[in-house]
Amino acid sequence: MMPPNRRCRFPLATALLALLVAACGDGGPTAPSAFPQVAGTYNGQITLSSSLAPEESLTGQMQLVVVQDGEQLTITGSITFFGETTEQPAITGTIDGNGSFTVASGEFAGTDVDPECGTSTVTSFTLMFSGSAATLQVTLASGSCGTFTLDGELTR
C-alpha cells in the first residue's frame, strides 16, 4: 500500500495535464483582430459652416450606425437641424488598423449635381474611430453655393 501523500500526487498531476490540454483546444483565446472593433451606434453634435458666411454656422445632431465585418464597414445615419431629421444613405468602405475609415461607395464618394448650386464634389472626407469616439470632417465644394464643412464629435 502507498502512503496517502503519494496517492494524491498522481490524480492531481493527471487533472492538471487534462486542464492544460483542454485549454489548447478550439475554445482557447483567439488572436486580437487587426482592425479596431467599431460596430455600434454613435451620437453627437455636428457643426455645418459655409465659406459664403464664415461667421455663421449651424449646430445639429448626428447619429451613425456602423455595421462591421472585419475591415468592411457599412454606415447609415441621420442628421437633425432645426428639429428636422434627414436620413443619410448608406456608405461603405474599409477601416485600417489605426481606426481611419476610407469610403468606397455611397453619399460621400464622389460628385453630385444640385439644382440650386450646380456640381457638388466632396473634396475631403475624414472619419476616424478611437475607442468609443468617432470624429468626422467632410468638406464639400458646391458650385455657386461655396464650400461647406461638416464637423462632428460622436460617441458610442
Side-chain angles (χ1 to χ4, degrees):
M1 180 168 190
M2 284 188 165
N5 60 354
R6 290 274 284 171
R7 254 188 282 166
C8 294
R9 235 184 265 171
F10 295 112
L12 181 57
T14 304
L16 287 174
L17 183 59
L19 286 173
L20 287 173
V21 170
C24 293
D26 290 338
T30 58
S33 172
F35 311 104
Q37 300 304 301
V38 299
T41 301
Y42 295 78
N43 292 288
Q45 185 172 308
I46 56 168
T47 303
L48 179 65
S49 56
S50 168
S51 63
L52 298 180
E55 66 284 345
E56 297 178 27
S57 62
L58 298 175
T59 301
Q61 296 293 313
M62 179 176 235
Q63 180 179 72
L64 295 179
V65 178
V66 180
V67 176
Q68 182 172 9
D69 182 11
E71 70 177 326
Q72 301 294 317
L73 301 183
T74 300
I75 302 172
T76 57
S78 62
I79 297 176
T80 303
F81 285 109
F82 304 114
E84 295 286 326
T85 300
T86 304
E87 297 298 320
Q88 298 300 302
I91 59 174
T92 61
T94 57
I95 189 168
D96 67 16
N98 296 318
S100 180
F101 175 73
T102 301
V103 177
S105 66
E107 184 77 8
F108 299 110
T111 303
D112 193 20
V113 177
D114 182 278
E116 293 178 28
C117 298
T119 301
S120 297
T121 304
V122 174
T123 58
S124 171
F125 180 92
T126 304
L127 178 56
M128 188 73 179
F129 293 93
S130 178
S132 63
T135 304
L136 173 71
Q137 184 177 57
V138 180
T139 304
L140 178 74
S142 190
S144 61
C145 294
T147 301
F148 294 92
T149 303
L150 180 69
D151 290 297
E153 294 286 331
L154 309 150
T155 56
R156 178 170 46 168

